[in-house]
Amino acid sequence: MPRRTATMLASTLILITLLCAGVFITVPYSEMSPGPTVNTLGKAAGEPVLQISGRKTYPTTGNLNMTTVRVTGADYKMNLVEAVYGWLAHDSVVVPHDTLYPDGKTEEESTQENAEEFSQSQESAKTAALRKLGIPVKTRVVVSTVLKDSPAEGRLHAGDVVKAVDGTAVKDPKDVAKLVTRHEPGEKVVFTVVPAKDAAAAEKAGKEPVGSEDITITTKKAGDDDRAIVGIHAGPDNTFPFSIDIKLADVGGPSAGLMFSLGIVDKLTPGNLTGGTFVAGTGTIDEAGKVGPIGGIQMKTVGARDAGAEYFLTPSDNCASAASDVPEGLTLVKVKTIDDATKSLEKIRKGDTAGLPQCTTG
């Protein structure tokens, strides 16, 4: 066999061997890629994403799309060939597995956490939108979670409305912890609560809950320090003067908050926020309307542009990363609050795009 032919054959065999080895060698990485986008003004699975009843709504046009990221599952074992391909691809990102699933978190645990964050983001989006419009929102303190094997287990329940602790009225979730930690471990603390089922029934009837009950719980020591705890987390629960439902399945995490809030504002006000333009975006939102950063920003801009978006509302803290690789034809608009977003949408609607606050790498 000629030397050149033998060399080529040997090289080919080595390459095949390396490729085969790469297929079987797993690496501790996961992949992120653009997920679907959904118009918050439109429908998903045949029904409106935003369903508002008990209040006049107005027709809308254009798009206010929330964006998503696909990730490989916690149990998926990425091989070396897939990792290299992902590193070279423009429309995907390979990240350490622990970035997506820290502390050995299972896929089920991650899904549950994302579902809880998604639910909370909806409530924050509703509150931010209504406060933006000057519509009153009532807030009360509730039991968010009860820890397993804690003194409160079986005594207090998620959704119970906390009216007072030791006779002192609570106005903020932080008040609960402050009042409990005044005690020493082993002392008794009295919670005045409206049971969750009674509170829910009253809310459904459009009334304030009547009556409450006192529940006495013995505190215990908190781990390695001397704080007294009962084993609950308190949080805010907002009640709205009319019904707002967000219908969107198979989506998790808090990053759609901004786009949900803008969709609600659009439906509750005359005219159109976008003027018929295709706008997409992302960002968490708190009840005061402040927009927070999210993960996977570059995958979301790619997904938005692929769907047809011309403008992308970008949390200011994500701007530098997003601006480092902008899909052609997409304008990144920097937002810090819901007010920033509505002002930018007004400029887009009027065609005054030269004045838009755009993202830069600096």
Side-chain angles (χ1 to χ4, degrees):
M1 181 182 298
R3 178 176 296 177
R4 182 177 179 182
T5 302
T7 300
M8 291 180 62
L9 180 59
S11 298
T12 301
L13 290 174
I14 291 172
L15 179 60
I16 292 172
T17 301
L18 290 174
L19 287 174
C20 289
V23 170
F24 291 104
I25 296 174
T26 60
V27 290
Y29 290 93
S30 296
E31 185 179 59
M32 302 170 63
S33 59
T37 74
V38 178
N39 186 8
T40 61
L41 302 176
K43 294 183 177 182
E47 60 179 343
V49 174
L50 299 175
Q51 301 181 10
I52 301 173
S53 58
R55 182 88 172 193
K56 183 177 180 180
T57 58
Y58 299 87
T60 58
T61 62
N63 290 65
L64 285 170
N65 279 44
M66 52 84 68
T67 51
T68 64
V69 174
R70 286 194 179 96
V71 297
T72 50
D75 297 328
Y76 182 77
K77 304 297 183 182
M78 176 175 283
N79 63 48
L80 184 58
V81 172
E82 291 172 321
V84 171
Y85 179 82
W87 279 317
L88 297 175
H90 174 71
D91 59 352
S92 66
V93 174
V94 174
V95 298
H97 184 274
D98 290 346
T99 301
L100 300 179
Y101 304 100
D103 303 322
K105 186 182 298 180
T106 66
E107 189 167 349
E108 291 74 16
E109 290 171 335
S110 180
T111 299
Q112 177 62 31
E113 182 178 297
N114 285 336
E116 292 173 357
E117 290 179 340
F118 184 63
S119 177
Q120 182 56 53
S121 76
Q122 293 181 42
E123 297 306 300
S124 296
K126 295 173 189 178
T127 302
L130 267 57
R131 287 179 175 166
K132 164 70 179 172
L133 297 174
I135 299 172
V137 177
K138 294 181 179 180
T139 302
R140 58 193 182 185
V141 178
V142 300
V143 176
S144 296
T145 55
V146 179
L147 302 181
K148 185 175 177 58
D149 299 325
S150 69
E153 186 177 20
R155 309 298 309 286
L156 296 176
H157 304 86
D160 287 349
V161 179
V162 183
K163 306 290 288 185
V165 177
D166 292 329
T168 300
V170 297
K171 303 295 184 183
D172 185 278
K174 295 178 182 178
D175 295 340
V176 176
K178 289 179 182 178
L179 291 166
V180 170
T181 54
R182 288 180 180 178
H183 290 269
E184 295 293 330
E187 293 182 349
K188 297 183 183 301
V189 58
V190 180
F191 285 82
T192 302
V193 303
V194 177
K197 57 182 178 59
D198 295 341
E203 183 177 350
K204 187 175 182 179
K207 301 178 181 179
E208 288 293 323
V210 177
S212 60
E213 58 185 71
D214 290 339
I215 298 175
T216 301
I217 301 175
T218 302
T219 63
K220 75 171 187 177
K221 184 179 177 181
D224 295 330
D225 60 41
D226 294 327
R227 288 183 303 112
I229 63 169
V230 296
I232 67 166
H233 291 145
D237 179 63
N238 298 317
T239 57
F240 309 108
F242 49 90
S243 174
I244 307 174
D245 287 327
I246 298 176
K247 302 290 187 180
L248 193 59
D250 301 324
V251 176
S255 65
L258 170 63
M259 303 313 292
F260 283 143
S261 63
L262 292 173
I264 293 168
V265 169
D266 203 356
K267 284 182 173 290
L268 290 175
T269 52
N272 296 286
L273 284 183
T274 69
T277 306
F278 195 137
V279 178
T282 189
T284 66
I285 197 163
D286 65 18
E287 296 184 353
K290 182 179 178 180
V291 177
I294 52 80
I297 185 66
Q298 292 181 346
M299 296 300 93
K300 291 186 175 184
T301 57
V302 170
R305 185 55 185 156
D306 287 347
E310 300 173 61
Y311 299 91
F312 192 90
L313 303 179
T314 312
S316 60
D317 289 342
N318 288 124
C319 264
S321 176
S324 67
D325 188 11
V326 186
E328 185 177 355
L330 188 68
T331 299
L332 303 183
V333 182
K334 180 168 65 175
V335 295
K336 292 184 178 180
T337 66
I338 189 174
D339 287 339
D340 289 346
T342 55
K343 289 175 182 176
S344 290
L345 287 172
E346 181 180 5
K347 291 180 181 295
I348 292 171
R349 184 170 67 249
K350 293 180 177 180
D352 181 23
T353 55
L356 287 173
Q358 297 188 33
C359 291
T360 63
T361 56

